[in-house]
């Protein structure tokens, strides 16, 4: 049940990412056409496109982190034993939890300021833009915490360890792209 809900949640996030990217493309395209064709533009679309880009980036960071698609340097870890890799995985997750907690806390500290400031064109509170730090910091913290607990309980699979060590990439498939 929880796995199904989690999968649905991430599918919904992917749909949100598609919506944000498509909306950005439409808004920017319409603005380009209006500027060149009619010497005018929609100021609101410029502002919203910027905000959509921020949301796209920070929501995408959580989805990418869940999929283990972030940039990693496996040059050293690939030579470690299973225990060495598990130790590095645990250490990395502790570091990520720490950074995510700091990011979440920083967003919390900035909340009153951002809630009191209004966007120049739309007039919406800036917390709607910068508040995405709650989602990103909290989301990445929870993913790292779950991974860390799985390491401590000995429930980390060999496939997860191989992905962490960079052994999941098939060189033949990489050459095709």
């Amino acid at each position: 049940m929880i796995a199904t809900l989690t999968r649905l949640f991430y599918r919904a996030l992917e749909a949100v990412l598609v919506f944000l990217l498509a909306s950005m493309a439409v808004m920017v395209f319409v603005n380009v056409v209006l500027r060149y064709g009619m010497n005018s533009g929609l100021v609101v679309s410029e502002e919203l496109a910027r905000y959509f880009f921020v949301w796209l980036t920070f929501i995408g960071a959580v989805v990418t982190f869940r999929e283990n698609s972030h940039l990693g340097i496996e040059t050293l870890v690939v030579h470690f034993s299973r225990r060495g890799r598990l130790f590095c995985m645990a250490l990395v997750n502790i570091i990520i939890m720490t950074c995510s907690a700091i990011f979440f806390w920083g967003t919390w500290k900035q909340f009153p300021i951002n809630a009191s400031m209004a966007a120049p064109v739309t007039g919406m509170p800036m917390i709607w833009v910068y508040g995405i730090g709650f989602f990103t910091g909290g989301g990445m913290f929870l993913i790292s915490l779950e991974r860390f607990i799985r390491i401590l309980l000995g429930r980390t699979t060999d496939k997860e360890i191989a992905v962490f060590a960079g052994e999941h990439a098939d060189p033949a498939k990489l050459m095709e792209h």
Side-chain angles (χ1 to χ4, degrees):
M1 178 69 174
I2 292 176
T4 303
L5 289 175
T6 302
R7 194 170 40 258
L8 287 173
F9 174 71
Y10 282 101
R11 296 295 283 175
L13 283 183
E14 290 169 0
V16 167
L17 292 174
V18 168
F19 169 77
L20 291 171
L21 187 59
S23 298
M24 280 174 42
V26 168
M27 286 187 284
V28 170
F29 177 76
V30 167
N31 241 4
V32 167
V33 169
L34 286 175
R35 291 207 188 240
Y36 285 107
M38 300 178 189
N39 203 22
S40 69
L42 300 173
V43 183
V44 71
S45 73
E46 290 179 22
E47 187 172 284
L48 285 178
R50 276 192 311 255
Y51 298 159
F52 281 17
F53 184 70
V54 171
W55 295 333
L56 179 79
T57 303
F58 284 91
I59 294 169
V62 174
V63 173
T64 303
F65 181 58
R66 178 184 180 255
E67 296 173 353
N68 291 306
S69 297
H70 276 188
L71 181 64
I73 303 171
E74 302 97 1
T75 309
L76 181 63
V77 178
V78 75
H79 299 292
F80 288 172
S81 66
R82 178 179 169 81
R83 279 182 67 170
R85 291 177 181 188
L86 284 171
F87 175 78
C88 286
M89 285 177 75
L91 182 62
V92 163
N93 282 299
I94 290 170
I95 292 169
I96 291 171
M97 284 187 289
T98 303
C99 292
S100 297
I102 291 169
F103 189 63
F104 187 93
W105 181 69
T107 304
W108 179 262
K109 295 295 281 183
Q110 285 293 119
F111 185 92
I113 296 168
N114 291 326
S116 66
M117 292 175 41
V121 177
T122 60
M124 70 182 198
M126 292 305 291
I127 193 60
W128 283 103
V129 179
Y130 298 117
I132 195 69
F134 288 128
F135 176 80
T136 304
M140 291 180 87
F141 181 88
L142 291 174
I143 294 167
S144 291
L145 179 63
E146 186 263 340
R147 289 178 181 171
F148 183 70
I149 290 171
R150 288 175 39 78
I151 292 167
L152 292 179
L153 296 177
R155 294 187 179 158
T156 306
T157 65
D158 289 336
K159 183 181 177 186
E160 290 172 301
I161 296 169
V163 167
F164 177 77
E167 295 175 345
H168 63 288
D170 181 10
K173 288 183 181 178
L174 291 176
M175 295 302 286
E176 292 174 1
H177 298 291

